Every structure is written in C-alpha cells, then in structure tokens.
Amino acid sequence: MSGQASFTLRGRNPDVLTCIANLSNDEVFTPPEFANRLLDTLAEAWAAENGGANIWADKTVRFLDPCTKAGVFLREITRRLVVGLAKEMPNIQERVEHILTQQVFGLAITNLTGLLSRRSVYCSKHASGPHSIVHSFANDDGNIWFERSEHTWANGKCSYCGASQNTLDRGEDHETHAYAFIHQSDINSWITEIFGGEMQFDVIIGNPPYQLNDGGGSGSSASPIYQIFVEQAKRLSPRFLTMIIPSRWFTGGKGLDEFRESMLSDGRIKYLDDYPISADVFAKSGPKGGVCFFAWDDAHAGDCRVTTHFQGNSSETVRPLLEKGADVFIRFNEGIKVLQKIAAVDGASPQSLALPADRRFDRLVSTRKPFGFASNYTGRTRSEEDDVRIVQKGGAGYVSRKEVLTGTRLIDSWKIFVGFAAPGTGDKDTYPHRIISTPFIGEPGEVSTETFLCIGPFETSEEAKSALSYLSCRLTRFLILLHKPSQNTTRHVYTFVPTQDWDKQWTDQELYAKYGITAAEQEFIEKVVRPMDLNLFGGPVED
C-alpha cells in the first residue's frame, strides 16, 4: 500500500503528453488542449439533451476510447469526473476506484500505446502494478485493453481495412497495424468478451488512425481507415460519439464516397467543427486538407451547428450538412451564400444549389485520360505524316492521329489544358491556395496525356482565351475548391461552376458585380484563393 501513488490533481508544467512525438503521420497524438475542446463540446451536447445535467457529475456514464494512443482523452475524462463526483463520493480513493473500474475504458492501437495510455491514466504502465492508483485491478491491462491482432488477407488485401498484405504481412517481430476495433464482424459480442458482461457505452470518443498502405500505385498508396472506426463505433449504439478525423470526407476522395453519403444523410450530427489548416490543431504531421471533429447525438434529428476555424476567426451557423442540390458538404459557411447567389442568377430551382444542365461548366471538362494516353506515355520527338502534337509531362511530342481512340471530337478544336493534379503546398496547408494548376490554350491538332484534363471544344481562339480568363478568376476557383476533395481535379470539382458567354476577357470584378458578391465575401474569397498569371498563347506555365 505504501508504494502506491496517491491520486492528486496538480498542475503539469509542461504536460508530458504535449511533448511526445507522433508515432507516424497516420497515428497522430491529440494535444491535451484540443482534447479538452472536444470534451467541452461533449458536455454542452449532453446538457442540452439532459435538462442541463453535468455529465461529469454522473457516476453511471461510461466512456470508451476505441483507439487510444497516449491516453489523453481517458486522462482528461478522469480528471473531470474526479472533480464532478467529489460531492457525491467525497472519499478520493473510492471515487478514483469507481471512475477507473466502472466508467473509463480504452482500446489501445499498439502495445506501446497501451503502455503509454495506462501510464497516463493509472500512473503505471501496469494497471495492477505497485504504483497504480487503482487497487482493485487483477490484471495488467485494467480497462485499457490491447492484444495483438492479425489482418484477414484476401487477394493481397485485408478484407476488413484494405491494408496491403505485401506491406504489412511482416511476421511477429513487427506491429501488424491490424487495429482490433475495426477487425470484428460482431463488435458488440467482441466488446462483451474482452470487458466481460453487457457493456453499454454512453460516450465513444477518440482520434483514430487515419490511413494504411494499400499497395496501390508504386507501393506508397494509402487508403483511409478512420471512417471504419466511425461506422464501427455507431454499431455499439452509444448516446454520443465524437471523433477527430481528416476533413477530406466532406467531398469524397479515395474510398470515402459511401462514408460521405452516410454522414451527410445522418441527422444525428449535432455539432461539426472544421479546421481547414491542420497546423491549427496538430503542429506537426496533421493530414493535408484539414481536420474536423463532430458530435453525434443519438437523440438529435435535424440541422447541425457548423463552425469553421480559419486564420484566427470562427464562423458559426446552423444548417443542413447536405444542402439541396449539392452532393458534398460545403466547407465554408461563406461558400453557402456565394453558391446561393450564383444558383439564383443562373436559373437553379428555388432553394437549390444545382445549376441547370446547360449552365454547368463541368460538361465542358473531359474525364481523366481524355485522349486515352496514360501519364507515362511519351510521344515521338519528330513529326510524321498525319501526326498530331501531344502535350505530355515534361513537354510535348507527336503521335499518329490513328492512335487517338477517345476524345476525337476535341482534336481539331480549340481547347484548354489543365493539370489533373493541382500544385502542392508542401507538408502543410497554406492559404491562399492556387486550387488548380495554371491552365493553357490547346490549339487544333493537339491532344494530351492524362497528366492533363481537356476543357472544350471552343470554336475560336478568342472563345478559348475567354474561358481561360474565366478560370484565372478567384471566384471561379473558389467554386472549384468547394467541391474539391484532394490535390486531384476531376471533372466533378467543376460542378458548382456556371458557364459564361465566351465573348470577353473575364475579371473578378465583372463576376462579383454579376452575382452580387459583397465586399466581405470578396475579402474572404481572396483570403482563400491566390491570384493567377496566365499564358494565353499555349504551353504550360511552370507553377
């Protein structure tokens, strides 16, 4: 008894959990300050649904972190419960025993994170060890469980998470990254088995791993897995669910379309806080494209309070996650107002953001691989009879007209080429963005590899130059951004962009006037989108 640490509340300067380096880009530790923002939001949601009750003063509420890494959520929940239950349970040791044996549970993602989490919560890497602040655990895990799990391989990939067998089937000396929580076909039975008895969690909270190598491309391709944690958590039927996840799901992306549709149609998301700049949450190793956290409330039905935290300011409104006529979540609250104005001018039906088919710019944009040539295709260096010029990565070459099997209607027209991949911004999100790579004119008799999308056809060079000037406008590229999930720019990212008359050189001032964009809206757009210089007479401009 004398060797056990007493439970005391004391200041931590510095807090050790702010000093731990991330395990990887995908397993990012949650800063304690940010974890407490989620807990504040949780307490607000709980009070709203429970007549103002304080969740931290309720000794019956059970919490689960299904992907604990350093134990920050479990530690901060425990700290709040210790304070909140003081009046009902005045004996500090009895209070701690109750909280840590009956209320706070975790599933570690690796053996190391299990040890870290137990050290954070129990003050000992072994829950039943002599230094543990809990006296009644009979095993070393306590309520923070970890056992090595294995992937279920089928055709070179895990049938649960999509991980690459070639990459992660490495033997017993390496971590499998087969996170147990998402490798169960019956999660309720499994939870009962590992914790014993019927386990109903009121609150599930966490920051799941974000992605795993899927063996695609050159072997560095990765698929998201955070959405599997969210869906698995819902199957446990909690009263509240809150998680930190990348924001890329807003508009889809690799393996996320079904998840996006599920989230946007789920009226139980009560709060959504979005951080377009990951560094505002994670100083290092945050995912590109920003992060968000949501509060899912099983008793809630209806609109969501959406808060965007951007460049030191917060924009908050209550709105549907899925606006009428949209198929993605509109990230910026300011973007909703802009889209509504454009839809009204360009003939959309009342209260809808969907442009009429004949007013949508995306009908001018090709699919990927517009002329059938892969990005690594290299044309001949010299022209032969009946050749066309092919714009390719690193320059141009020539290819026989007979080899062009798709996009043939575009060969002899004026057109615009724009890179399939937008210019990068390094390891961190930076604003203002370019949004798209610099577009350039394609002349009759030119085609391209899939490095570029093709926009057209246009009858004259003047029309093509008019459309090119339109793409250079910040408002146009802001509309692209609102539908853009990643660095890649498929034709779908042009869904919100209306067509124009191609008889003039377009400027932002003309577009702002046409659509009634206010000075405040203009200022916001120009915070988000960088200006663009153009080459009106062909040839890509280096970014």
Side-chain angles (χ1 to χ4, degrees), residues 81 225 269 341 529 542:
L81 289 170
I225 59 170
I269 298 179
K341 291 179 177 181
V529 185
E542 293 297 327

Side-chain angles (χ1 to χ4, degrees), residues 191-471:
I191 287 289
T192 298
E193 178 183 339
I194 66 170
F195 287 124
E198 291 294 326
M199 296 298 296
Q200 179 59 49
F201 293 104
D202 300 282
V203 176
I204 299 179
I205 187 170
N207 176 18
Y210 297 153
Q211 63 186 28
L212 279 179
N213 188 295
D214 61 14
S218 62
S220 59
S221 174
S223 292
I225 59 170
Y226 58 87
Q227 76 280 9
I228 310 176
F229 280 87
V230 175
E231 297 295 350
Q232 193 78 306
K234 289 182 181 180
R235 294 185 183 101
L236 287 174
S237 302
R239 294 175 65 183
F240 287 86
L241 165 64
T242 182
M243 285 190 173
I244 306 168
I245 57 176
S247 297
R248 185 171 289 187
W249 68 268
F250 290 170
T251 48
K254 188 174 186 178
L256 292 171
D257 287 342
E258 185 176 343
F259 177 67
R260 182 193 74 232
E261 293 171 9
S262 172
M263 291 286 279
L264 296 184
S265 62
D266 190 341
R268 292 170 290 183
I269 298 179
K270 189 179 184 72
Y271 304 136
L272 177 67
D273 281 55
D274 177 36
Y275 296 78
I277 301 174
S278 287
D280 289 343
V281 177
F282 303 111
K284 297 179 181 179
S285 301
K288 288 291 294 295
V291 295
C292 68
F293 73 83
F294 64 90
W296 178 96
D297 177 354
D298 190 49
H300 179 71
D303 290 347
C304 177
R305 187 187 74 190
V306 178
T307 307
T308 304
H309 306 269
F310 181 66
Q311 293 187 336
N313 297 308
S314 295
S315 168
E316 179 181 305
T317 190
V318 176
R319 60 181 174 95
L321 287 180
L322 186 63
E323 298 286 337
K324 184 179 178 182
D327 61 348
V328 298
F329 173 73
I330 311 302
R331 175 168 228 170
F332 295 105
N333 292 326
E334 293 83 355
I336 298 287
K337 299 174 184 177
V338 171
L339 287 173
Q340 289 171 339
K341 291 179 177 181
I342 288 171
V345 171
D346 282 303
S349 60
Q351 307 303 316
S352 176
L353 300 181
L355 297 170
D358 63 348
R359 295 294 298 160
R360 287 173 52 164
F361 190 87
D362 64 347
R363 67 187 177 89
L364 298 175
V365 183
S366 71
T367 59
R368 187 170 181 177
K369 200 181 291 187
F371 298 97
F373 298 99
S375 60
N376 60 357
Y377 180 88
T378 303
R380 293 190 293 271
T381 57
R382 294 184 180 182
S383 175
E384 298 179 2
E385 186 178 356
D386 202 32
D387 272 1
V388 293
R389 188 171 181 264
I390 184 167
V391 181
Q392 59 199 24
K393 188 182 296 184
Y398 297 92
V399 62
S400 171
R401 181 181 290 264
K402 294 178 182 179
E403 292 184 53
V404 185
L405 302 180
T406 61
T408 53
R409 70 185 182 92
L410 294 166
I411 297 175
D412 294 315
S413 67
W414 288 90
K415 58 192 77 77
I416 295 170
F417 293 122
V418 61
F420 175 71
T425 57
D427 293 333
K428 295 184 178 181
D429 298 301
T430 57
Y431 286 88
H433 279 336
R434 291 289 299 279
I435 315 301
I436 60 175
S437 63
T438 305
F440 57 96
I441 297 291
E443 298 184 359
E446 286 187 330
V447 297
S448 73
T449 66
E450 70 172 326
T451 299
F452 304 93
L453 297 181
C454 183
I455 300 172
F458 301 101
E459 293 186 1
T460 66
S461 63
E462 286 72 23
E463 285 190 356
K465 291 174 185 177
S466 174
L468 188 68
S469 69
Y470 180 57
L471 287 172

Side-chain angles (χ1 to χ4, degrees), residues 338 341-343 345-346 359 470 475 498-500 510-517:
V338 171
K341 291 179 177 181
I342 288 171
V345 171
D346 282 303
R359 295 294 298 160
Y470 180 57
L475 176 59
T499 57
Q500 306 293 341
E510 289 176 297
L511 291 174
Y512 291 154
K514 177 177 179 177
Y515 293 109
I517 307 301

Side-chain angles (χ1 to χ4, degrees), residues 64-68 105-109 181 204-206 229 233 236 243:
L64 172 69
D65 182 347
C67 41
T68 185
F105 297 79
L107 302 171
I109 63 172
F181 186 69
I204 299 179
I205 187 170
F229 280 87
L236 287 174
M243 285 190 173

